Amino acid sequence: MHNTATGPSNTSGTERIAQHRRYLMCRPEHFTVSYTINPWMEPAKPTDTAKAVRQWQSLYDTYIELGHEVELIDPIEGLPDMVYTANGGFVIDGVAYGAKFRFQERVPEGPAFMDWFGNRGFDVVDPREVNEGEGDFLLVGDTILAGTGFRSTGDSHREVGEVFGREVVSLTLIDPRFYHLDTAIAVLDPVQGPGGVDHANIAYLPGAFDEASRAILAERYPDAIRVSDEDGSVFGLNSASDGRNVIISPRAKGFEAQLRERGYNPILVDLSELLLGGGGIKCCTLELRSKETSV
């Protein structure tokens, strides 16, 4: 199902603490690649829906085994990309800022996710600006890192800041392979404050960003893991972390070793079939931060 890799032992001396997570996922029952909205999607390549479901199930089972909660949104026929729940919104303190997709093929997903949030007691904020949820918004400590360049607009960065009243740091993506921020940055220590880590940290792919954004990342996160293009190009950074366990692609060998050296526990889950749609582990995982568990 999944495996914890062997490799270099922790040389950082840092004891990593796993934090409880609550996630939203969507079973890829209708997964296929029938259109092209990113460089990974090639409709001429056959996709195996049953294999996609099996791989997705392995990710789901991994979260459950780690003690996390996973809620499900029902898949909708004709919306094959709903499996990438991270794009469906951005949730902090029980407030769900909805998604407004750039491409027409995905537009109907926005209301479906907002209905789900509303029916489960989240305070839903209807977006005015084009944004693709946690695909382009990452919470690092108390700061929101916000991506633009391919999907979410710069105006959505202003809007998300107004919704949550937090500092927003804009970063510009320049490589079309890494069209969402969560394909180029992994948040390794998502929790700061009581019971959490002292300093939230990230891993990132420098080449995915313009020069100004690279300078911002270098200044703000001097201890960040800088990942190679080789590992980034297999969606190694499209990963999920609870502060100790980091779920990553088994093909991201260099990143796996880097994580071990820093005291994290890499867990390998293969989502190769879902990568045909341009998504990986983090794309399939939306964090539901409720008022009770936020710090």
Side-chain angles (χ1 to χ4, degrees):
M1 185 163 50
H2 70 268
N3 64 310
T4 303
T6 57
S9 59
N10 178 13
T11 58
S12 69
T14 303
E15 180 63 32
R16 305 292 179 187
I17 301 171
Q19 304 282 345
H20 181 73
R21 292 281 175 266
R22 182 181 173 209
Y23 294 136
L24 176 62
M25 297 180 70
C26 180
R27 192 181 303 277
E29 291 175 6
H30 306 296
F31 178 73
T32 186
V33 176
S34 58
Y35 49 78
T36 302
I37 59 173
N38 67 57
W40 304 89
M41 301 177 85
E42 298 180 41
K45 276 188 178 179
T47 51
D48 184 338
T49 304
K51 182 178 179 181
V53 170
R54 287 195 303 272
Q55 291 183 339
W56 176 94
Q57 188 68 46
S58 178
L59 179 61
Y60 174 94
D61 291 344
T62 299
Y63 290 143
I64 298 300
E65 288 173 20
L66 290 171
H68 303 312
E69 293 176 69
V70 181
E71 300 196 33
L72 297 175
I73 184 172
D74 290 334
I76 298 173
E77 193 168 0
L79 298 178
D81 289 343
M82 270 191 78
V83 62
Y84 306 125
T85 52
N87 307 151
F90 186 50
V91 184
I92 306 175
D93 293 339
V95 176
Y97 172 52
K100 185 176 180 181
F101 287 89
R102 177 170 181 182
F103 288 103
Q104 188 60 43
E105 290 89 345
R106 297 196 68 181
V107 166
E109 293 180 45
F113 279 102
M114 284 187 275
D115 286 347
W116 189 93
F117 295 134
N119 290 335
R120 279 151 186 82
F122 290 91
D123 297 326
V124 182
V125 178
D126 201 349
R128 294 182 179 176
E129 307 297 340
V130 171
N131 83 88
E132 300 198 352
E134 210 168 50
D136 274 330
F137 301 132
L138 299 174
L139 184 62
V140 187
D142 289 326
T143 299
I144 297 170
L145 299 185
T148 190
F150 296 102
R151 298 292 182 87
S152 301
T153 65
D155 283 344
S156 72
H157 297 185
R158 171 192 51 76
E159 188 171 63
V160 76
E162 291 171 356
V163 169
F164 294 111
R166 295 177 185 239
E167 178 191 26
V168 177
V169 176
S170 293
L171 302 167
T172 301
L173 296 159
I174 58 171
D175 186 328
R177 295 175 299 164
F178 308 106
Y179 56 92
H180 277 146
L181 192 65
D182 69 359
T183 66
I185 290 181
V187 185
L188 299 178
D189 303 306
V191 174
Q192 256 182 315
V197 297
D198 294 327
H199 184 68
N201 203 15
I202 64 170
Y204 69 98
L205 176 63
F209 298 94
D210 68 4
E211 190 175 345
S213 300
R214 288 198 300 272
I216 290 169
L217 291 169
E219 180 183 359
R220 283 183 168 258
Y221 305 103
D223 297 327
I225 296 175
R226 289 169 175 79
V227 173
S228 70
D229 186 87
E230 184 181 11
D231 288 335
S233 63
V234 293
F235 267 35
L237 284 162
N238 194 245
S239 60
S241 174
D242 61 17
R244 181 177 184 272
N245 303 292
V246 187
I247 320 301
I248 67 167
S249 163
R251 292 184 288 170
K253 297 299 186 186
F255 184 36
E256 176 192 325
Q258 289 173 305
L259 287 168
R260 287 195 170 280
E261 288 164 6
R262 299 292 189 97
Y264 297 99
N265 178 45
I267 297 175
L268 311 182
V269 176
D270 182 18
L271 292 189
S272 57
E273 198 66 20
L274 289 163
L275 185 56
L276 298 176
I281 290 161
K282 178 66 190 74
C283 290
C284 296
T285 309
L286 173 65
E287 186 158 355
L288 301 173
R289 303 176 186 88
S290 65
K291 292 175 183 176
E292 293 76 21
T293 57
S294 295
V295 297

Short mmCIF file of all heavy atoms in Angstrom, two decimals, residues 265-288:
data_model
loop_
_atom_site.label_atom_id
_atom_site.label_comp_id
_atom_site.label_asym_id
_atom_site.label_seq_id
_atom_site.Cartn_x
_atom_site.Cartn_y
_atom_site.Cartn_z
N ASN A 265 10.03 12.10 8.37
CA ASN A 265 9.81 10.70 8.01
C ASN A 265 9.11 10.63 6.67
O ASN A 265 7.88 10.78 6.60
CB ASN A 265 8.96 10.01 9.09
CG ASN A 265 8.67 8.56 8.74
OD1 ASN A 265 9.56 7.83 8.31
ND2 ASN A 265 7.42 8.15 8.93
N PRO A 266 9.83 10.43 5.57
CA PRO A 266 9.17 10.34 4.26
C PRO A 266 8.38 9.05 4.13
O PRO A 266 8.87 7.98 4.49
CB PRO A 266 10.33 10.37 3.26
CG PRO A 266 11.57 10.63 4.04
CD PRO A 266 11.29 10.26 5.45
N ILE A 267 7.16 9.17 3.63
CA ILE A 267 6.32 8.01 3.33
C ILE A 267 5.99 8.09 1.84
O ILE A 267 5.50 9.12 1.36
CB ILE A 267 5.04 8.00 4.19
CG1 ILE A 267 5.42 7.89 5.68
CG2 ILE A 267 4.12 6.86 3.78
CD1 ILE A 267 4.24 7.99 6.62
N LEU A 268 6.26 7.02 1.13
CA LEU A 268 6.17 7.04 -0.32
C LEU A 268 4.82 6.52 -0.80
O LEU A 268 4.44 5.39 -0.47
CB LEU A 268 7.30 6.20 -0.92
CG LEU A 268 8.71 6.48 -0.37
CD1 LEU A 268 9.73 5.62 -1.08
CD2 LEU A 268 9.05 7.95 -0.47
N VAL A 269 4.13 7.34 -1.57
CA VAL A 269 2.85 6.95 -2.15
C VAL A 269 2.87 7.33 -3.63
O VAL A 269 3.09 8.49 -3.98
CB VAL A 269 1.66 7.63 -1.44
CG1 VAL A 269 0.35 7.28 -2.15
CG2 VAL A 269 1.60 7.22 0.02
N ASP A 270 2.64 6.35 -4.49
CA ASP A 270 2.72 6.55 -5.93
C ASP A 270 1.35 6.97 -6.49
O ASP A 270 0.39 6.21 -6.42
CB ASP A 270 3.17 5.25 -6.61
CG ASP A 270 3.32 5.40 -8.11
OD1 ASP A 270 3.41 6.56 -8.58
OD2 ASP A 270 3.35 4.38 -8.81
N LEU A 271 1.29 8.19 -7.04
CA LEU A 271 0.07 8.66 -7.71
C LEU A 271 0.36 8.92 -9.19
O LEU A 271 -0.11 9.89 -9.77
CB LEU A 271 -0.45 9.95 -7.05
CG LEU A 271 -1.01 9.85 -5.64
CD1 LEU A 271 -1.69 11.17 -5.25
CD2 LEU A 271 -2.00 8.71 -5.50
N SER A 272 1.11 8.02 -9.81
CA SER A 272 1.55 8.23 -11.19
C SER A 272 0.38 8.41 -12.16
O SER A 272 0.48 9.19 -13.11
CB SER A 272 2.43 7.06 -11.65
OG SER A 272 1.72 5.82 -11.53
N GLU A 273 -0.72 7.71 -11.91
CA GLU A 273 -1.86 7.83 -12.83
C GLU A 273 -2.49 9.21 -12.74
O GLU A 273 -2.85 9.82 -13.75
CB GLU A 273 -2.89 6.74 -12.53
CG GLU A 273 -3.87 6.50 -13.67
CD GLU A 273 -3.22 5.91 -14.91
OE1 GLU A 273 -2.11 5.35 -14.82
OE2 GLU A 273 -3.82 6.02 -16.00
N LEU A 274 -2.59 9.73 -11.52
CA LEU A 274 -3.19 11.06 -11.34
C LEU A 274 -2.27 12.17 -11.82
O LEU A 274 -2.72 13.27 -12.14
CB LEU A 274 -3.59 11.26 -9.88
CG LEU A 274 -4.78 10.40 -9.46
CD1 LEU A 274 -4.89 10.29 -7.95
CD2 LEU A 274 -6.07 10.94 -10.05
N LEU A 275 -0.96 11.86 -11.92
CA LEU A 275 -0.03 12.84 -12.48
C LEU A 275 -0.33 13.09 -13.96
O LEU A 275 0.01 14.15 -14.50
CB LEU A 275 1.41 12.37 -12.29
CG LEU A 275 2.52 13.34 -12.73
CD1 LEU A 275 2.39 14.68 -12.04
CD2 LEU A 275 3.89 12.74 -12.45
N LEU A 276 -0.98 12.15 -14.62
CA LEU A 276 -1.36 12.35 -16.02
C LEU A 276 -2.34 13.51 -16.17
O LEU A 276 -2.48 14.09 -17.25
CB LEU A 276 -1.98 11.07 -16.60
CG LEU A 276 -1.07 9.84 -16.64
CD1 LEU A 276 -1.85 8.62 -17.14
CD2 LEU A 276 0.14 10.10 -17.54
N GLY A 277 -3.02 13.86 -15.09
CA GLY A 277 -3.90 15.02 -15.09
C GLY A 277 -3.23 16.26 -14.53
O GLY A 277 -3.85 17.32 -14.43
N GLY A 278 -1.96 16.13 -14.17
CA GLY A 278 -1.23 17.28 -13.63
C GLY A 278 -1.40 17.47 -12.15
O GLY A 278 -1.32 18.60 -11.66
N GLY A 279 -1.63 16.38 -11.41
CA GLY A 279 -1.81 16.50 -9.97
C GLY A 279 -1.12 15.39 -9.22
O GLY A 279 -0.90 14.30 -9.75
N GLY A 280 -0.77 15.67 -7.97
CA GLY A 280 -0.11 14.70 -7.13
C GLY A 280 -0.76 14.63 -5.76
O GLY A 280 -1.95 14.88 -5.60
N ILE A 281 0.06 14.30 -4.76
CA ILE A 281 -0.44 14.06 -3.41
C ILE A 281 -1.12 15.28 -2.83
O ILE A 281 -2.26 15.21 -2.34
CB ILE A 281 0.74 13.60 -2.51
CG1 ILE A 281 1.18 12.19 -2.94
CG2 ILE A 281 0.36 13.64 -1.04
CD1 ILE A 281 2.57 11.81 -2.49
N LYS A 282 -0.45 16.42 -2.87
CA LYS A 282 -1.05 17.63 -2.28
C LYS A 282 -2.28 18.07 -3.08
O LYS A 282 -3.27 18.54 -2.49
CB LYS A 282 -0.02 18.76 -2.23
CG LYS A 282 -0.57 20.08 -1.68
CD LYS A 282 -0.96 19.93 -0.22
CE LYS A 282 -1.73 21.14 0.30
NZ LYS A 282 -3.12 21.17 -0.22
N CYS A 283 -2.24 17.93 -4.39
CA CYS A 283 -3.41 18.31 -5.19
C CYS A 283 -4.66 17.57 -4.75
O CYS A 283 -5.76 18.11 -4.83
CB CYS A 283 -3.15 18.03 -6.67
SG CYS A 283 -1.92 19.10 -7.45
N CYS A 284 -4.49 16.34 -4.27
CA CYS A 284 -5.62 15.51 -3.87
C CYS A 284 -6.01 15.73 -2.41
O CYS A 284 -6.85 14.99 -1.89
CB CYS A 284 -5.28 14.04 -4.07
SG CYS A 284 -5.01 13.59 -5.81
N THR A 285 -5.43 16.73 -1.77
CA THR A 285 -5.55 16.89 -0.33
C THR A 285 -5.81 18.35 0.02
O THR A 285 -4.94 19.20 -0.15
CB THR A 285 -4.25 16.44 0.36
OG1 THR A 285 -3.89 15.13 -0.11
CG2 THR A 285 -4.39 16.42 1.86
N LEU A 286 -7.00 18.66 0.52
CA LEU A 286 -7.33 20.01 0.98
C LEU A 286 -7.41 19.99 2.50
O LEU A 286 -8.15 19.20 3.09
CB LEU A 286 -8.66 20.48 0.41
CG LEU A 286 -9.18 21.82 0.94
CD1 LEU A 286 -8.26 22.97 0.54
CD2 LEU A 286 -10.60 22.09 0.46
N GLU A 287 -6.64 20.87 3.16
CA GLU A 287 -6.67 20.89 4.62
C GLU A 287 -7.87 21.69 5.12
O GLU A 287 -8.11 22.82 4.67
CB GLU A 287 -5.37 21.47 5.19
CG GLU A 287 -5.34 21.36 6.70
CD GLU A 287 -3.96 21.41 7.29
OE1 GLU A 287 -2.97 21.44 6.53
OE2 GLU A 287 -3.88 21.41 8.53
N LEU A 288 -8.61 21.09 6.05
CA LEU A 288 -9.78 21.72 6.66
C LEU A 288 -9.38 22.20 8.04
O LEU A 288 -9.33 21.42 9.00
CB LEU A 288 -10.93 20.72 6.74
CG LEU A 288 -11.40 20.13 5.41
CD1 LEU A 288 -12.43 19.02 5.66
CD2 LEU A 288 -11.98 21.20 4.49
#
